[in-house]
Amino acid sequence: MRGFGLQRITGTGRGLFAGVAAVIVLVLVIGLGWSFAYAGKDSLTGRALTGDQLTALSRAGHACPAVTSARLAGQLMAESELDPAAARTESGGRGIAGLTDEQWRRWAPWSGAQREDTEAALLALAHLMCNLVGELRTSGVDGDAWRLALAAFRSGLPEVRKAGRVPGKASDYVDRTGKYAAYYETLPQFASAGSTQSLAAGSAPAAVPLPDELVPAVVAAGSRCPEVSPPAVAGQLMALSSFNAEQRGASGELGIAGFSEDLWQDNAPKGASVWDPQVAVPVMGDVLCRLVRELSALPGDPYLLAVAAWHAGVDTVRRAGGVPDAMTRAHLATVAAYTDYYRLDTRLAPPSAPLPSPSPSSSSSPTSASPSVRASAPTKSAPPATRAAPSPARPAATTAQAPATTAAPPPAVTTAPTRYGPGGPGGGGYPCRRRCRW
């Protein structure tokens, strides 16, 4: 009897090789199909974010190193799909952040805060998440701090402590949140450090000449310390408010210099008004010089670090060891571009001295204008007589007259440390806004 082997089944040796090749091709096709299907299921696309939500995320994303703006966005998407009016969210809370009533009572960021206020809700969520990170670290639970905190938010801190890892019933929530966060990290608004040019193209207004009435105050503010020059002060004011003395930012910034309420109260003369640019601008110079001294131990340009601290908070800059994120870098690039413009203004040169040498901002930041990404709500319009805006027929800054020599700078202001809240095991350190409870 003839052998009943593989060659008999295939007919010939050549048939054998052809059959094996066909099987290999079939396996590859099926494998690739599975891979493509898995890749499609392994990524999620989050909903578009509004300007107010982006602003709130950029603020809350500095609460502690484990909680970033993109991660918070992913959590909001998994929890409520960004619905501020959500009656019941994934974890049993309500509102855009999915906080329970008890969580809101504990973590509401200021007295009288409303859960419908996106900024308040996101700050409360960020501080709660940072606290969970700290609690888990002190409990000795090993693993990714953020994923563990997500699991604790979803199923409770005792469950995570008992399991010593992400519990099974929270794993789907943690995975979905991670996928949404990965999506938001790919967006230009959440770009990694260094990717500043595409963050908000065209959103930075063109520089305008410094109004005459502000020249003495800007020169005074830029004479407090060598690192902070008058053109640099003018550049920062342009970036913060476009010289609008009645500016009201979406995150509580007040006046021409964008003071937070706490920062103003801690540094301004008693009884002074944040709406008075003749007082607010010199106080800004005092605070910037103090920040230069406080951050002098960090590597990098001291003036840029001071501007970064003004924008994102001094504790955030310390924890990051420098400029913390792409949004802050974009703000610095905008300030640098404006500073280059105001360096041409002869009114801002010290008396009997040549124009200031290039400011630190121009040597350490991009020289081309980069848009600011600090999204803000429409500001309150100032009356024509008080709004600091030049008329179209006004000559360029390079032909303006030198400031009057009789304008003496206001006396130096004794400063006090800026209050930051809350610390806690998770790090905290986010600058207080409005009336903070801590």
Side-chain angles (χ1 to χ4, degrees):
M1 179 181 289
R2 294 182 179 179
F4 193 76
L6 182 60
Q7 185 171 352
R8 183 173 180 80
I9 295 175
T10 58
T12 64
R14 180 178 299 176
L16 171 62
F17 291 128
V20 172
V23 172
I24 292 174
V25 171
L26 180 62
V27 170
L28 288 174
V29 169
I30 295 175
L32 288 173
W34 284 343
S35 297
F36 290 136
Y38 180 76
K41 294 179 180 179
D42 199 43
S43 61
L44 293 174
T45 301
R47 292 186 174 182
L49 297 161
T50 67
D52 287 345
Q53 289 168 348
L54 281 170
T55 301
L57 285 167
S58 69
R59 296 292 185 186
H62 294 306
C64 64
V67 178
T68 66
S69 299
R71 286 178 171 182
L72 281 174
Q75 187 173 359
L76 296 179
M77 187 64 203
E79 192 65 37
S80 67
E81 295 188 346
L82 304 179
D83 182 7
R88 183 173 178 83
T89 63
E90 178 76 12
S91 300
R94 61 188 178 92
I96 191 172
L99 298 172
T100 64
D101 293 341
E102 180 181 354
Q103 289 169 337
W104 175 251
R105 282 193 296 269
R106 180 178 179 186
W107 296 103
W110 56 79
S111 178
Q114 301 297 314
R115 194 182 304 205
E116 295 75 19
D117 183 337
T118 299
E119 181 189 5
L122 266 62
L123 283 175
L125 175 63
H127 291 149
L128 168 58
M129 292 299 294
C130 290
N131 184 73
L132 290 174
V133 168
E135 292 283 354
L136 289 164
R137 283 176 176 167
T138 57
S139 299
V141 181
D142 294 328
D144 183 277
W146 178 62
R147 290 176 62 85
L148 291 170
L150 283 174
F153 183 86
R154 178 66 180 84
S155 59
L157 192 58
E159 291 289 332
V160 179
R161 284 173 171 161
K162 180 180 179 181
R165 55 184 175 81
V166 175
K169 65 180 182 180
S171 59
D172 178 66
Y173 175 82
V174 172
D175 289 343
R176 281 191 295 113
T177 302
K179 292 173 184 177
Y180 280 129
Y183 163 76
Y184 285 114
E185 285 173 353
T186 66
L187 301 183
Q189 296 91 332
F190 302 99
S192 59
S195 302
T196 60
Q197 298 301 321
S198 60
L199 287 176
S203 63
V208 297
L210 178 67
D212 285 333
E213 62 270 21
L214 294 179
V215 170
V218 169
V219 171
S223 303
R224 300 298 203 232
C225 61
E227 294 84 358
V228 181
S229 68
V233 172
Q236 189 168 357
L237 292 174
M238 178 66 206
L240 291 170
S241 69
S242 298
F243 307 123
N244 182 3
E246 296 191 5
Q247 169 88 4
R248 289 180 182 269
S251 299
E253 300 91 345
L254 304 175
I256 191 172
F259 278 94
S260 67
E261 184 177 345
D262 291 330
L263 191 62
W264 177 255
Q265 291 176 353
D266 288 341
N267 294 281
K270 185 176 181 180
S273 172
V274 72
W275 309 110
D276 183 356
Q278 302 303 326
V279 179
V281 174
V283 172
M284 178 187 190
D286 290 323
V287 177
L288 286 173
C289 288
R290 175 171 60 81
L291 292 173
V292 165
R293 295 191 297 271
E294 289 184 6
L295 300 172
S296 60
L298 295 179
D301 186 284
Y303 170 69
L304 288 180
L305 293 173
V307 176
W310 190 281
H311 178 264
V314 66
D315 282 3
T316 300
V317 172
R318 284 199 182 106
R319 285 196 303 267
V323 180
D325 54 27
M327 292 185 177
T328 305
R329 289 180 184 274
H331 175 68
L332 296 183
T334 303
V335 172
Y338 289 148
T339 299
D340 288 339
Y341 174 85
Y342 295 111
R343 195 177 295 114
L344 302 176
D345 190 339
T346 57
R347 299 172 299 169
L348 301 182
S352 304
L355 285 173
S357 58
S359 66
S361 57
S362 63
S363 60
S364 302
S365 299
T367 56
S368 59
S370 176
S372 172
V373 296
R374 291 186 64 187
S376 62
T379 59
K380 178 181 176 183
S381 298
T386 59
R387 186 180 178 93
S391 63
R394 178 174 177 162
T398 54
T399 61
Q401 298 298 318
T405 57
T406 57
V413 179
T414 302
T415 60
T418 305
R419 293 197 300 270
Y420 291 87
Y430 190 81
C432 289
R433 299 287 179 186
R434 305 181 194 176
R435 296 186 178 274
C436 295
R437 294 172 56 186
W438 39 82

